[in-house]
């Protein structure tokens, strides 16, 4: 018995070394942690339980039968984050470059199936060179098995991917089907085909960073939700995100203790909106003053900044926030901001996270670039997502709610549950200047008349009251009481039950 225990200890030690000391040192030289170091940071202390530590590949081509490393390039298992169970797999770049073999894929699939069966979030840490080249088609089959399980788990358990090194070829599509992708600045990159192939096919000279670094995916392509400075920050922020998320689509949102009273008033909000309707203000200020203890986890902070999306809490319970940002492009809805918000709304609806929408939107962005880029379809995504969502939906119009964008931004007409407006709200088909220039075109050139028409239009339509008279707005509220109103509305809607008609699935305009 003693011998066998010693053997186990020895085998564990060997497995835990991954690709060996030299490769681990190289990993550190590159500013990256090893797979096991990452897991230690991500999970609660001593909570990690590893599975399949001794799994080895079965490849016999290219001399691989003499080149086996226990674990086969991926560390898998489960543990806890602030006491709540998560499943995870972490690619080990020190073992065959973290590349995916048939057995490596089987290890991931086992964890995916356990996470889905037991209804807990799954987190993947990526740092790998794609398909195990020596295995060829067996690796392709393995990817397919992983992808399929990503799809089956979508909308049932939260799936989170963190890109912490190379993520190329077959490795990109599993993260792409998860709910959130985070990247580490400077050390991670994602692309379907690398710079060499790009050069051969399109003759473009491009570096890995220019092709698929965090500076591309968190800012331009929106593939990544956020980029963090280093491995440590990324892992700590994932822990923070997990605290906001329910374990699965049938469990309640987590409730954290808070000393921040639901009826806290914020007098400073009464002066947030400037007197001049064309002057911007920072919508983050409203969000930060409404959420518990100013704690807001922003999603896609660096992409389509004209809309803000992210998680906060009210009275300890998670809420998803969507807010137009007047500081950027006056908060206009364009293709990118519509897509960004639509995906966020759908995530919240999948996981029964109530939605709070702050509206200050001058409409949809005009122009050929937008129309050629499919603004109609992208805008429709957001409209569709809001209309379809059955979670509690609370809307507060702080200033402009013009045109079609008024309808889209969780209006009463698409099943907004509680719709508030601040006294500064302007709910109208368009701004006064544009409206007057159309309906009083004959008076253009007569400055006095135009000024009179504009003043009349502003008085009649640039207020919350026309909408309130029709019941499109439930109440015009004091800005300082916004947190209290939303907290109360969330209580009111706690047992909301709405079902959409049966269908196999919808056909959202993709
Ligand atoms: C087997 C691999 C590997 C792979 C890396 N290694 N990628 N082994 N299969 N795909 C091994 C290397 O042989 C090396 O082993 C170790 O990992 C580290 O690799 P290096 O090249 O020394 O590291 P680095 O210079 O940092 O370059 C990293 C890299 C590069 C950019 C990821 O290794 C690379 O380009 N790899 C190949 C990428 C690729 O083309 N993958 C296949 C994509 S096709 P030693 O023993 O020296 O430490 C694909 C199709 C699937 O994925 C599609 C499904 C839908």
């Amino acid at each position: 018995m003693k011998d066998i225990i010693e053997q186990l200890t020895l085998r564990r030690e060997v497995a835990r070394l991954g690709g060996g000391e030299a490769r681990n040192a190289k990993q550190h030289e590159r500013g990256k942690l090893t797979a096991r170091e990452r897991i230690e940071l991500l999970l609660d202390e001593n909570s990690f339980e590893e599975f399949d530590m001794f799994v080895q590949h079965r490849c016999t081509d290219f001399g691989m039968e003499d080149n086996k490393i226990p674990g086969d390039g991926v560390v898998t298992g489960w543990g806890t984050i602030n006491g709540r169970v998560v499943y995870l797999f972490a690619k080990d770049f020190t073992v065959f470059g973290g590349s995916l073999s048939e057995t490596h894929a089987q290890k991931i699939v086992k964890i995916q199936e356990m996470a889905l069966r037991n209804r807990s979030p799954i987190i993947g840490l990526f740092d790998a060179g794609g398909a195990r080249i020596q295995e060829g088609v067996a690796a392709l089959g393995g990817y397919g098995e992983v992808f399929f399980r990503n799809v089956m788990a979508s909308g049932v358990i939260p799936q989170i991917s963190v890109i912490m090194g190379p993520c190329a070829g077959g490795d990109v599509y599993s993260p792409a089907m998860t709910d959130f992708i985070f990247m580490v600045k400077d050390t991670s990159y994602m692309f379907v085909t690398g710079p060499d192939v790009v050069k051969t096919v399109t003759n473009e000279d491009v570096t890995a960073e220019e092709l698929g670094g965090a500076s591309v995916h968190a800012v331009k392509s929106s593939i990544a939700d956020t980029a963090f400075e280093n491995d440590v920050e990324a892992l700590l922020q994932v822990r923070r995100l997990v605290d906001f998320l329910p374990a699965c689509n049938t469990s309640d949102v987590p409730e954290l203790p808070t000393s921040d009273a639901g009826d806290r008033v914020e007098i400073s909000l009464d002066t947030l909106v400037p007197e001049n309707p064309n002057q911007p203000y920072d919508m983050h200020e409203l969000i930060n003053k409404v959420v518990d203890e100013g704690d807001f986890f922003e999603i896609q902070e660096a992409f389509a900044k004209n809309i803000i999306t992210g998680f906060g809490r009210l009275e300890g319970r998670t809420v998803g926030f969507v807010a137009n940002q007047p500081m950027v492009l006056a908060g206009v809805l364009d293709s990118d901001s519509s897509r960004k918000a639509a995906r966020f709304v759908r995530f919240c609806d999948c996981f029964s996270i109530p939605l709070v929408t702050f509206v200050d939107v001058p409409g949809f962005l005009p122009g050929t670039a937008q129309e050629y880029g499919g603004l109609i379809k992208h805008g429709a995504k957001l409209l569709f997502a809001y209309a379809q969502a059955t979670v509690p939906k609370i809307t507060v119009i702080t200033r402009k709610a013009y045109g079609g964008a008024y309808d889209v931004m969780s209006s009463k007409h698409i099943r907004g549950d509680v719709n508030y407006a601040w006294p500064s709200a302007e709910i109208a088909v368009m701004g006064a200047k544009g409206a007057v220039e159309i309906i009083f075109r004959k008076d253009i050139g007569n400055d006095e008349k135009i000024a009179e028409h504009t003043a009349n239009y502003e008085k009649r339509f640039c207020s919350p009251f026309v909408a309130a008279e029709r019941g499109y707005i439930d109440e015009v509220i004091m800005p300082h009481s916004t947190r209290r109103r939303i907290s109360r509305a969330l209580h009111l809607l706690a047992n909301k039950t709405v079902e959409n008609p049966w269908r196999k699935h919808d056909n959202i305009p993709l």
Side-chain angles (χ1 to χ4, degrees):
M1 186 65 182
K2 191 164 165 272
D3 279 359
I4 205 93
I5 289 177
E6 274 171 9
Q7 204 188 330
L8 171 64
T9 308
L10 191 69
R11 286 188 67 157
R12 278 184 175 170
E13 274 171 17
V14 171
R16 284 189 183 127
L17 261 185
E21 276 166 10
R23 289 196 186 93
N24 288 339
K26 207 168 165 195
Q27 183 84 347
H28 290 154
E29 272 166 33
R30 292 173 162 179
K32 301 193 290 183
L33 298 174
T34 65
R36 284 192 172 75
E37 287 166 345
R38 287 169 176 160
I39 291 170
E40 230 169 84
L41 270 173
L42 177 64
L43 298 179
D44 296 340
E45 211 178 337
N46 294 327
S47 74
F48 181 51
E49 193 155 316
E50 187 167 343
F51 291 142
D52 293 339
M53 185 189 253
F54 304 121
V55 162
Q56 297 181 341
H57 69 75
R58 299 185 204 108
C59 179
T60 52
D61 290 312
F62 305 104
M64 286 297 277
E65 63 272 33
D66 300 324
N67 187 8
K68 293 190 174 180
I69 301 176
D72 205 27
V74 63
V75 183
T76 60
W78 70 277
T80 57
I81 290 181
N82 289 323
R84 298 168 67 229
V85 170
V86 295
Y87 291 81
L88 69 88
F89 59 91
K91 304 262 179 171
D92 185 349
F93 188 76
T94 69
V95 178
F96 309 119
S99 58
L100 182 136
S101 67
E102 186 179 14
T103 44
H104 173 127
Q106 283 165 354
K107 285 182 66 171
I108 297 175
V109 163
K110 186 192 270 188
I111 287 298
Q112 288 181 302
E113 290 188 342
M114 290 187 77
L116 183 57
R117 199 162 54 237
N118 302 321
R119 297 291 197 264
S120 287
I122 182 165
I123 301 167
L125 309 182
F126 290 80
D127 185 357
R132 179 89 44 90
I133 292 165
Q134 295 90 334
E135 293 212 8
V137 75
L140 297 189
Y143 272 125
E145 300 287 337
V146 172
F147 300 157
F148 176 72
R149 281 157 186 87
N150 282 128
V151 176
M152 289 302 104
S154 181
V156 184
I157 53 172
Q159 302 183 85
I160 299 169
S161 305
V162 194
I163 317 300
M164 313 185 85
C167 182
D171 263 16
V172 299
Y173 281 109
S174 173
M177 287 184 293
T178 61
D179 299 301
F180 300 104
I181 299 181
F182 299 110
M183 291 184 78
V184 180
K185 288 180 190 167
D186 304 325
T187 52
S188 74
Y189 47 87
M190 286 181 91
F191 36 65
V192 179
T193 50
D196 295 345
V197 180
V198 170
K199 174 75 184 163
T200 311
V201 177
T202 69
N203 204 27
E204 281 173 288
D205 283 307
V206 69
T207 64
E209 178 63 31
E210 286 164 352
L211 188 60
S215 56
V216 172
H217 289 315
V219 181
K220 294 181 187 164
S221 74
S222 83
I223 302 295
D225 291 289
T226 299
F228 297 112
E229 292 299 326
N230 51 46
D231 282 16
V232 177
E233 193 198 0
L235 296 164
L236 296 181
Q237 289 299 324
V238 170
R239 283 179 64 87
R240 205 177 137 224
L241 173 65
V242 168
D243 282 349
F244 282 99
L245 306 182
C248 70
N249 62 340
T250 50
S251 67
D252 286 338
V253 293
E255 190 167 345
L256 262 66
T258 178
S259 53
D260 201 350
D263 61 0
R264 169 170 54 79
V265 296
E266 271 295 340
I267 295 298
S268 62
L269 290 179
D270 289 344
T271 50
L272 178 66
V273 174
E275 292 287 329
N276 177 351
N278 296 321
Q279 199 178 318
Y281 60 94
D282 189 356
M283 193 61 101
H284 283 110
E285 189 176 335
L286 172 57
I287 297 172
N288 291 336
K289 285 179 172 166
V290 163
V291 296
D292 289 355
E293 291 147 34
D295 186 15
F296 181 57
F297 190 101
E298 191 161 349
I299 299 290
Q300 296 207 343
E301 187 178 358
F303 176 76
K305 292 179 175 188
N306 39 335
I307 207 154
I308 303 169
T309 55
F311 301 105
R313 293 187 189 84
L314 270 117
E315 297 185 284
R317 294 169 63 80
T318 307
V319 174
F321 285 86
V322 178
N324 307 116
Q325 169 58 294
M327 298 280 280
V328 180
L329 295 171
V332 76
L333 276 182
D334 57 4
S335 296
D336 286 348
S337 59
S338 301
R339 278 195 299 125
K340 167 178 164 179
R343 182 155 168 82
F344 183 76
V345 166
R346 279 166 71 82
F347 176 83
C348 290
D349 193 47
C350 283
F351 291 102
S352 304
I353 298 173
L355 281 162
V356 171
T357 305
F358 292 141
V359 184
D360 188 346
V361 62
F364 280 100
L365 184 62
T368 50
Q370 287 295 313
E371 298 291 353
Y372 294 175
L375 176 64
I376 295 171
K377 213 162 223 182
H378 295 305
K381 289 181 174 127
L382 183 54
L383 174 57
F384 198 109
Y386 266 125
Q388 181 188 42
T390 56
V391 287
K393 291 183 283 192
I394 299 161
T395 308
V396 182
I397 300 173
T398 58
R399 190 166 62 178
K400 294 169 191 160
Y402 288 170
Y406 153 75
D407 278 320
V408 169
M409 294 301 294
S410 199
S411 66
K412 203 73 179 164
H413 321 287
I414 55 171
R415 226 166 41 184
D417 292 297
V418 176
N419 292 63
Y420 291 133
W422 284 7
S424 47
E426 302 169 17
I427 304 163
V429 73
M430 61 175 68
K433 186 170 175 295
V436 166
E437 281 173 5
I438 293 170
I439 51 184
F440 298 107
R441 185 166 292 168
K442 62 176 180 359
D443 292 333
I444 291 177
N446 184 338
D447 292 348
E448 207 175 298
K449 275 201 157 172
I450 289 289
E452 191 190 326
H453 294 318
T454 305
N456 284 340
Y457 184 94
E458 278 171 355
K459 204 167 154 212
R460 175 72 184 123
F461 292 111
C462 293
S463 83
F465 298 111
V466 179
E469 282 161 18
R470 285 179 159 70
Y472 298 171
I473 294 299
D474 296 303
E475 174 81 301
V476 181
I477 63 168
M478 295 295 183
H480 65 248
S481 68
T482 305
R483 175 176 158 92
R484 183 173 65 85
R485 293 287 193 155
I486 296 172
S487 298
R488 283 176 59 81
L490 287 167
H491 281 290
L492 170 79
L493 299 169
N495 296 324
K496 178 184 174 186
T497 312
V498 167
E499 275 180 24
N500 292 325
W502 185 91
R503 58 192 128 188
K504 188 171 174 197
H505 58 73
D506 59 61
N507 191 14
I508 186 166
L510 290 175

